[in-house]
Amino acid sequence: MLRTHVLPRWGDVPLVRIAHSDVQAWPAELSDRGLAGASVRKTQGVLSGVLGLAVRDRRLVLDPALGVALPALEQGCRRYLTAGRLGALAEAAGPGRVAVLVLGYCGLRRSELAALRVRHVDLLRRRVLIEEAVTEVDGKHLVWGTPENNSRRTVRSPAPWSTPSSATATPGPRGSARRPGRSGSRC
């Protein structure tokens, strides 16, 4: 975003020449070029961060990006799989069947599923405790942390995957995680 949107527009403009009215007009320019509302907001956030740093470094007295009105986020139509379609998808996933069912029925994020441990699953009460998430960075490192927005929670699990006979996933070595999107690989 910095190279593709911010620098072409603002790279040659001295900080003291950036006016609030120019910054206010910029999101409309980005929208006219076809950027979605979320992308406009992210791009504006990059510029705002740079200008905020200039204020903290006392290169600017006021941040010209303060109070800029941004486009509304488009709410896409959410589509959900029926139980039958989710079951068909799970069967087609082969060894990933349980993972597909957990994601589909419990609404977990991939990073939360990858961090699940046996102690987080209570088959008798049909509950899954979500208290960790793990993401892969640069294809090399795993970063463990709390779920998005610190949303530690307990979710109910439905019968189709929570019976002991259907729990066929094999755990990885202690402290390891299944990498999302990589069938059977462990780290």
Side-chain angles (χ1 to χ4, degrees):
M1 295 205 182
L2 182 65
R3 288 187 185 145
T4 57
H5 301 296
V6 179
L7 284 177
R9 171 60 178 92
W10 302 105
D12 295 329
V13 180
L15 286 173
V16 296
R17 297 254 186 220
I18 299 176
H20 175 79
S21 57
D22 295 330
V23 178
Q24 179 61 62
W26 191 46
E29 294 172 20
L30 293 171
S31 293
D32 290 344
R33 281 195 254 152
L35 258 67
S39 296
V40 171
R41 286 173 168 267
K42 288 177 188 172
T43 303
Q44 175 70 19
V46 172
L47 176 64
S48 183
V50 170
L51 294 173
L53 182 60
V55 171
R56 286 189 295 281
D57 284 347
R58 296 193 172 112
R59 296 177 188 271
L60 286 176
V61 176
L62 296 172
D63 183 348
L66 283 178
V68 169
L70 296 172
L73 293 174
E74 299 90 16
Q75 290 294 330
C77 178
R78 293 186 180 196
R79 298 184 337 198
Y80 299 96
L81 293 175
T82 64
R85 287 187 175 175
L86 180 61
L89 179 63
E91 290 305 318
R97 175 183 174 275
V98 173
V100 169
L101 292 172
V102 171
L103 290 168
Y105 280 117
C106 297
L108 272 60
R109 297 174 180 94
R110 287 175 25 149
S111 60
E112 295 167 344
L113 176 70
L116 271 184
R117 298 173 193 238
V118 172
R119 71 173 186 256
H120 296 144
V121 180
D122 185 341
L123 294 176
L124 295 176
R125 291 188 181 104
R126 295 185 185 174
R127 292 188 180 136
V128 179
L129 175 63
I130 309 303
E131 61 179 24
E132 293 180 291
V134 61
T135 54
E136 187 175 11
V137 179
D138 297 330
K140 301 174 189 173
H141 309 289
L142 293 177
V143 178
W144 291 81
T146 58
E148 190 175 313
N149 302 325
N150 280 326
S151 62
R152 291 184 170 130
R153 63 199 185 282
T154 300
V155 296
R156 281 194 51 76
S157 62
W161 72 271
S162 63
T163 58
S165 63
S166 67
T168 58
T170 56
R174 183 178 174 101
S176 70
R178 291 196 177 271
R179 290 184 176 164
R182 295 189 183 161
S183 176
S185 68
R186 294 188 180 95
C187 35

